[in-house]
Amino acid sequence: MTDGVFAALADPTRWRVLTLLAERGEATATTLAGDLPVSRVAVVKHLGVLDRAGLVEARRSGREVRYTVRPERLGATARDLAAIAVEWDARLAAIKRLAEE
Amino acid sequence: MQIERDIQIDAPAERVWSLITEAEHIGRWFADSGAEIDLRPGGALTMRWADYGVAHARIVDVEPHTRFSYRWVPSPSAGVEPTDGNSTLVEFTLEPEAGGTRLRVVESGFDQLDRSPAGIAEAVEGNTKGWKEELGHLSEYAARVAA
């Protein structure tokens, strides 16, 4: 099970997609691609890998797919300071969403 | 060695306080299968995950609407109790800002752990195969991200 997670994280661009998503709390492939030096299509592929590893959650909203980080999945496998910072970003973003509901 | 993150929230401190200190909410944004909390210094905080088990925390500070802190084993840990050598300190502070609230979290004490967080996770999961090598890869990427 952890193999999938590490494989998913073992790519610098994918790691950036994940950290950017954690900071945003929620985002679409289009908005993420706007801040990364890769195409929207590439971001979609990376999000697909992260999704299959259980690291992000996809939610359809009209014509868009919105993604959020699943910090519990990351926390169970990658106990590293940077990973912990990403977890906290995702948790704070979750608190913000709940608080502003 | 510590991690410090913060976020601006368009909601009053009272609302944010509820989210970070009430079991019903902690079970949603932190754990995924519920939580229990005895909200007082020395009280217990328990968080449950469907796949990863239980984490126990011990509450340190409770200042309503301002500060909340606890020590926990920084990994879902099969119910291991937090002690000085296996736990980190998580401190939340709430400050009114721009009509809302600035929520800051500091997690500290990683350097005082008997084992690294990875070591604790490894011990907990009992899964040593390939872990160190993979974590080495991860640290490399993490360093790039941090740069």
Side-chain angles (χ1 to χ4, degrees):
Chain A
M1 199 166 73
T2 53
D3 288 352
V5 175
F6 283 120
L9 296 175
D11 176 286
T13 304
R14 202 143 56 229
W15 180 261
R16 286 190 64 188
V17 169
L18 186 67
T19 53
L20 192 59
L21 184 58
E23 283 168 21
R24 297 280 177 80
E26 191 178 58
T28 63
T30 307
T31 57
L32 290 171
D35 284 325
L36 292 166
V38 295
S39 68
R40 184 186 168 281
V41 172
V43 171
V44 168
K45 282 183 184 165
H46 287 308
L47 286 168
V49 175
L50 293 170
D51 191 15
R52 284 190 292 281
L55 291 165
V56 301
E57 192 169 345
R59 193 166 55 78
R60 189 161 283 283
S61 165
R63 298 174 62 182
E64 292 181 321
V65 180
R66 298 186 158 277
Y67 290 87
T68 52
V69 171
R70 295 182 57 195
E72 71 279 7
R73 188 79 169 98
L74 191 59
T77 51
R79 302 308 304 187
D80 174 278
L81 286 184
I84 293 168
V86 170
E87 284 176 68
W88 279 116
D89 279 335
R91 290 180 191 134
L92 292 180
I95 293 171
K96 181 180 169 73
R97 277 200 306 279
L98 290 170
E100 294 177 355
E101 255 173 18
Chain B
M1 211 197 310
Q2 69 177 41
I3 288 163
E4 186 173 338
R5 316 300 286 179
D6 66 85
I7 198 164
Q8 167 67 29
I9 298 176
D10 293 330
E14 291 77 7
R15 167 86 179 136
V16 178
W17 179 259
S18 300
L19 290 171
I20 63 173
T21 59
E22 291 174 11
E24 172 201 346
H25 298 302
I26 297 168
R28 279 179 73 189
W29 65 263
F30 202 131
D32 61 13
S33 294
E36 289 133 44
I37 186 167
D38 178 10
L39 187 61
R40 59 179 176 83
L45 165 61
T46 305
M47 293 168 279
R48 300 175 196 285
W49 287 265
D51 293 343
Y52 313 117
V54 179
H56 285 301
R58 186 65 55 189
I59 295 168
V60 177
D61 239 355
V62 181
E63 289 176 39
H65 310 156
T66 306
R67 177 192 298 274
F68 171 54
S69 66
Y70 56 80
R71 295 197 71 88
W72 79 314
V73 184
S75 181
S77 50
V80 175
E81 285 288 333
T83 63
D84 285 348
N86 74 1
S87 68
T88 53
L89 179 66
V90 175
E91 297 173 278
F92 293 95
T93 51
L94 294 70
E95 284 171 48
E97 186 184 290
T101 307
R102 169 73 51 184
L103 175 63
R104 177 170 288 112
V105 62
V106 177
E107 184 168 6
S108 61
F110 293 100
D111 43 350
Q112 279 138 47
L113 294 172
D114 294 338
R115 328 172 64 143
S116 69
I120 293 170
E122 180 184 311
V124 167
E125 294 183 7
N127 173 19
T128 54
K129 190 185 170 190
W131 177 270
K132 286 192 172 65
E133 186 189 335
E134 297 294 354
L135 200 72
H137 294 166
L138 184 63
S139 299
E140 201 181 310
Y141 294 125
R144 278 188 225 161
V145 170

